[in-house]
Amino acid sequence: MIRCDVCERRCPLGPDTTGYCRMYHAPRGQVEERFPDRWCAYATARMETIPFYHAWPGARCLVVGTTGCNFDCRYCANAEVVKVDPAGQQDVMLDVSPEDLVAVARKRGCRAIVFSVNEPTVSLPTLERVAAVAKTAGLVMGCLTNGYATPEGTARLGAIFDCVNVSLKGLSPQFCRNYLGVPDVGPILRNIQALARTTHVEVTTPVIEGVNSHELGEMVDFLAGVGPDVAWHAFRLLPEYKMRQEDYPSVAAVGAQVEAAARGKLNYVYFHNFIGSRWVNTLCPGCGEAVIERHSLGCGGDRLQAVHLDGTACPRCGAAVALRGDPDPATAKEACS
Amino acid sequence: MSLAILDAREWQQTVDLRTGQPREASGPLADMVAGLVGRRPYPGDRDATCNDWVADVALEMVERYDPRFAFLSFSEQYYSLRHSPLTEAEEQARIDGAFAAVERFARESGFTVVVVGTGELVPAAVPVDLEGLDGLVVSSNWCAHYAGLYDASAADLEKLANHPAIAQVAAKADILTLFGGTAADGERLPEHMVAVKEGHYLKGTSLRRLYKIPQPSPVIPVSNNLGPVACLTDIRPALLNLLRTDKVALALVEGVGCRQFPLPYHTCANGRGWFAYEPGDGQFLAISKGRHSIFEHNGGYRYYQDDTDDKAYPYSGFFSEMPTGTIGEAIAARSIAVGNRSMFMHMLTGCDIACECFARNLYNQGVMAVIHRQDKYAGK
């Protein structure tokens, strides 16, 4: 038996022993994927849907995922894929090599491949192979992650991905135990700092009124310490999975708490994950002008509306706006057309 | 200007439907609709009360707007059978629930309700993976049987010709010929359309496991209070004729075919030749417009090409323009559309007011009401 070194659960693995995520085993004394190159789905979208608001704005991307997770979030939005036994899903998984996946992305005119259905640390070797081919083809790699990797796993994530959105879901040990199924937030805070040193990082916090909403100020203080330009996405929680019967949080109440917590501390604060949000535009940190406008369609559906930047600067006051990548979506041309 | 009232539960935003820009809207009709959707949060696509929500909203609209025509969709059983592992008894209960909601609407509104089953669901037996082709395959989340094929190589076409799961590979020209189109009509048609056999389905974009999928039904049932209709495109003129004497509702009960249809019915053709509509935008539009719409709405279009910054109708999913010639446009009297099919109700019916769930891939975001016509309302 060995210990898995990918995530902080550090599960024992053996030839017939899998860990919490059920995606790795150790038939030859090393951590190996059980289901390499197997994908639950892929679809064409744009970076805002992930969400990435400050990385390659408007770029078309191929959204992919596998199955399995190392968390047990009570509100998981993808439980039907993520919480089931991966072995039982294999009959409907797509078997696509890294080369073929990159080819699909290029045929569809995508500028990026983004892993966003489940947790990327459960499929790291596959993603490393995809990244190697994608980078040769000039494609950007992005992901959503819960940030619970080991330092070694985090270094691998940082090497694979050009942009990462880390979910900072809560701070207290009680919240982590009851809502996420992990003992504490320490590894996540450590990994946000580590990833921000090596790649583009945005952070998302699903806000549950009365459960983690009192921690927003502390989260903002932490993120401001990482850097005031870290884009923070406060999400109104969409109650799914074990929380399906619970009330939707109040937009007005949570919005006020987000604004109060972040005022003067972070340059880019967004409040969305519900239709018609008015808090999805990027405001110039210098003068408050709306320099990037978006529409919010709720869960995974945000859209770029207009970019008013002069390069990466505010056209009114000239202040720099933190962006990774060219904001011109016209650069995404269809390779096959 | 069409107004969209977005209701995310206890929070509303009103926008210009075409641009998505916020608009201040007030007045008796906007206030009435905003109040209605605020009082009636959407329970969710697979919630057992989902079809009751349709009936409840439609009945309140009948009370407050006094329409002569209502276009309704009842789709909970379609979502549940498609994506939930149900027993036969549970499936039947869902279908019974849909017809109970239709019957309640008919009883309480006094409307003559014409019911159309959009086609039976069958077990999703064999997933088909076409990703190994040289060309580009485009399938969509809600279309199991049809995919578009672009830049196919000779090897691709030979492989598909010998593929045991493939029922048909039709070139664009063949589709145009089948539906009587000219070359100019083919802009949104794929270069080839691939159809898989019954029980088979194309995998790729559906995040959730599919348990049942639409049968490519050559015929669908239409309640016999409409009289005989040969094809689904004949439903519209028959409805317009019935409207001369009756207040009429068209109720599309999704995922139900002739075998499960509990009312006396006639059958009508659900397509042409080898092509049969799946429940979806093409079928809704063929019924609404009274003519086939496969050129604009088919499962193989590269929908993502329209997803640009300046795309019109940002809250209307993949639709980037408003279809014309819909049934609501042809009715001078007041009309409403209510359903648990996002986007379809306000884009495909043409009715004065549409109220629908705002659900995306079964995630319940709330309710959207669209007011296309404000000029017919004098308050009530």
Side-chain angles (χ1 to χ4, degrees):
Chain A
M1 298 283 269
I2 62 164
R3 288 279 172 184
C4 181
D5 62 356
V6 174
C7 100
E8 283 291 355
R9 287 189 182 274
R10 297 182 186 274
C11 298
L13 301 178
D16 301 312
T17 304
T18 63
Y20 184 89
C21 70
R22 297 176 285 192
M23 292 292 279
Y24 293 113
H25 60 168
R28 286 172 282 272
Q30 290 183 316
V31 179
E32 293 183 25
E33 279 183 291
R34 296 173 69 202
F35 311 109
D37 301 337
R38 304 281 286 179
W39 309 92
C40 68
Y42 54 76
T44 310
R46 297 216 286 171
M47 295 296 269
E48 286 72 18
T49 67
I50 305 304
F52 284 112
Y53 279 8
H54 288 255
W56 290 272
R60 190 185 295 168
C61 58
L62 189 72
V63 179
V64 299
T66 57
T67 185
C69 189
N70 56 345
F71 269 27
D72 185 22
C73 300
R74 289 176 57 83
Y75 48 80
C76 180
N78 292 328
E80 288 171 68
V81 174
V82 168
K83 301 300 181 190
V84 296
D85 184 350
Q89 284 287 93
Q90 295 309 305
D91 61 324
V92 291
M93 300 289 279
L94 292 156
D95 189 357
V96 184
S97 70
E99 292 76 14
D100 284 346
L101 195 73
V102 169
V104 169
R106 286 176 54 77
K107 286 177 193 173
R108 294 184 178 213
C110 295
R111 201 170 172 193
I113 296 175
V114 180
F115 189 97
S116 82
V117 177
N118 57 317
E119 170 54 36
T121 51
V122 307
S123 301
L124 266 186
T126 285
L127 289 167
E128 286 172 326
R129 290 193 298 277
V130 172
V133 182
K135 289 181 180 181
T136 301
L139 295 179
V140 168
M141 291 285 289
C143 78
L144 291 179
T145 176
N146 59 34
Y148 202 65
T150 59
E152 303 93 310
T154 301
R156 293 168 71 183
L157 285 173
I160 295 169
F161 293 108
D162 304 290
C163 50
V164 178
N165 189 320
V166 186
S167 189
L168 176 59
K169 301 170 194 287
L171 295 175
S172 74
Q174 183 184 15
F175 177 88
C176 290
R177 281 194 303 271
N178 293 344
Y179 282 83
L180 313 179
V182 296
D184 73 279
V185 74
I188 301 166
L189 301 180
R190 177 197 70 207
N191 293 339
I192 290 173
Q193 291 171 318
L195 287 166
R197 286 192 290 271
T198 60
T199 191
H200 172 85
V201 169
E202 301 187 21
V203 172
T204 294
T205 298
V207 182
I208 314 172
E209 204 176 356
V211 175
N212 66 352
S213 52
H214 65 286
E215 297 180 328
L216 297 180
E218 203 177 335
M219 290 185 202
V220 166
D221 288 341
F222 167 77
L223 295 176
V226 176
D229 283 344
V230 171
W232 183 46
H233 303 263
F235 268 24
R236 180 213 204 179
L237 181 85
L238 185 69
E240 287 280 341
Y241 190 42
K242 295 175 184 173
M243 296 183 69
R244 188 175 290 258
Q245 300 306 320
E246 302 204 15
D247 290 338
Y248 283 57
S250 160
V251 169
V254 174
Q257 288 176 297
V258 169
E259 282 195 6
R263 190 173 299 131
K265 296 180 178 176
L266 292 174
N267 288 331
Y268 307 107
V269 176
Y270 306 99
F271 175 45
H272 51 126
N273 203 37
F274 56 94
I275 50 172
S277 168
R278 292 183 177 180
W279 296 274
V280 290
N281 292 342
T282 297
L283 307 180
C284 169
C287 67
E289 179 84 351
V291 290
I292 303 178
E293 295 181 84
R294 303 178 184 87
H295 298 296
S296 174
L297 280 69
C299 170
D302 295 346
R303 311 178 62 90
L304 184 66
Q305 181 189 357
V307 178
H308 304 298
L309 292 166
D310 182 5
T312 59
C314 172
R316 190 162 87 172
C317 75
V321 174
L323 285 180
R324 176 91 193 268
D326 179 356
D328 180 10
T331 55
K333 300 290 186 190
E334 282 192 87
C336 65
S337 62
Chain B
M1 177 178 69
S2 297
L3 288 175
I5 298 168
L6 309 170
D7 187 288
R9 296 190 185 218
E10 301 175 9
W11 191 84
Q12 290 186 346
Q13 166 88 293
T14 301
V15 300
D16 177 334
L17 180 70
R18 192 182 65 78
T19 66
Q21 288 298 315
R23 288 284 178 269
E24 295 300 324
S26 61
L29 184 59
D31 292 348
M32 182 275 280
V33 174
L36 190 159
V37 296
R39 285 189 299 276
R40 299 194 179 278
Y42 185 62
D45 286 335
R46 288 182 287 178
D47 188 281
T49 64
C50 181
N51 285 327
D52 287 327
W53 178 87
V54 176
D56 291 339
V57 171
L59 285 166
E60 185 169 346
M61 277 206 177
V62 167
E63 167 65 24
R64 294 179 182 277
Y65 188 65
D66 191 20
R68 188 162 184 83
F69 176 69
F71 193 130
L72 311 175
S73 74
F74 294 85
S75 309
E76 180 276 325
Q77 69 288 346
Y78 175 66
Y79 302 127
S80 292
L81 269 65
R82 191 177 171 107
H83 287 295
S84 302
L86 302 178
T87 64
E88 271 190 43
E90 289 169 333
E91 288 182 5
Q92 191 58 52
R94 300 284 177 147
I95 293 169
D96 292 345
F99 281 94
V102 173
E103 195 277 334
R104 182 165 65 86
F105 173 82
R107 187 176 66 248
E108 295 183 21
S109 69
F111 276 48
T112 298
V113 180
V114 173
V115 186
V116 176
T118 62
E120 187 169 348
L121 300 176
V122 296
V126 185
V128 180
D129 182 357
L130 296 179
E131 298 307 331
L133 300 178
D134 300 328
L136 169 66
V137 176
V138 176
S139 56
S140 76
N141 198 21
W142 293 98
C143 182
H145 287 100
Y146 302 107
L149 177 61
Y150 300 83
D151 296 324
S153 66
D156 287 343
L157 296 175
E158 185 176 346
K159 183 176 178 181
L160 291 171
N162 296 309
H163 198 298
I166 303 301
Q168 182 85 25
V169 179
K172 180 189 290 193
D174 298 333
I175 303 169
L176 288 168
T177 301
L178 181 63
F179 285 92
T182 65
D185 296 320
E187 190 179 329
R188 294 173 73 91
L189 280 173
E191 291 163 9
H192 291 85
M193 184 175 281
V194 180
V196 298
K197 293 176 179 171
E198 180 176 327
H200 296 61
Y201 64 95
L202 294 153
K203 62 179 183 177
T205 63
S206 179
L207 197 59
R208 296 178 170 85
R209 177 181 285 274
L210 289 167
Y211 292 93
K212 288 211 159 180
I213 51 174
Q215 181 187 43
S217 309
V219 295
I220 54 175
V222 181
S223 59
N224 64 5
N225 56 355
L226 189 65
V229 285
C231 178
L232 80 170
T233 53
D234 298 327
I235 292 171
R236 170 184 156 131
L239 285 172
L240 295 176
N241 191 45
L242 190 57
L243 270 163
R244 293 177 183 170
T245 54
D246 295 14
K247 288 186 173 182
V248 176
L250 170 65
L252 301 188
V253 180
E254 297 219 79
V256 173
C258 298
R259 192 176 63 81
Q260 307 131 310
F261 202 75
L263 308 170
Y265 67 90
H266 298 290
T267 60
C268 73
N270 181 41
R272 185 176 287 177
W274 56 268
F275 180 83
Y277 288 101
E278 290 193 23
D281 49 340
Q283 189 187 49
F284 269 62
L285 204 53
I287 292 170
S288 178
K289 294 177 77 161
R291 67 178 181 82
H292 291 292
S293 56
I294 186 173
F295 303 144
E296 299 84 21
H297 295 268
N298 55 73
Y301 176 63
R302 283 179 282 190
Y303 58 91
Y304 49 82
Q305 292 189 142
D306 295 342
D307 187 11
T308 56
D309 297 355
D310 55 356
K311 174 189 174 298
Y313 303 102
Y315 291 97
S316 301
F318 53 84
F319 296 100
S320 53
E321 60 184 30
M322 183 73 65
T324 56
T326 48
I327 188 167
E329 289 177 280
I331 297 170
R334 295 178 186 179
S335 59
I336 62 169
V338 182
N340 35 21
R341 265 286 198 172
S342 284
M343 321 302 170
F344 290 11
M345 307 315 293
H346 78 270
M347 292 303 280
L348 304 183
T349 69
C351 292
D352 304 345
I353 306 171
C355 187
E356 63 195 44
C357 61
F358 198 104
R360 299 180 50 255
N361 200 16
L362 305 185
Y363 296 115
N364 181 7
Q365 303 293 331
V367 176
M368 178 158 79
V370 171
I371 303 171
H372 289 302
R373 297 283 299 264
Q374 300 200 51
D375 55 313
K376 298 182 187 177
Y377 185 62
K380 186 172 182 179

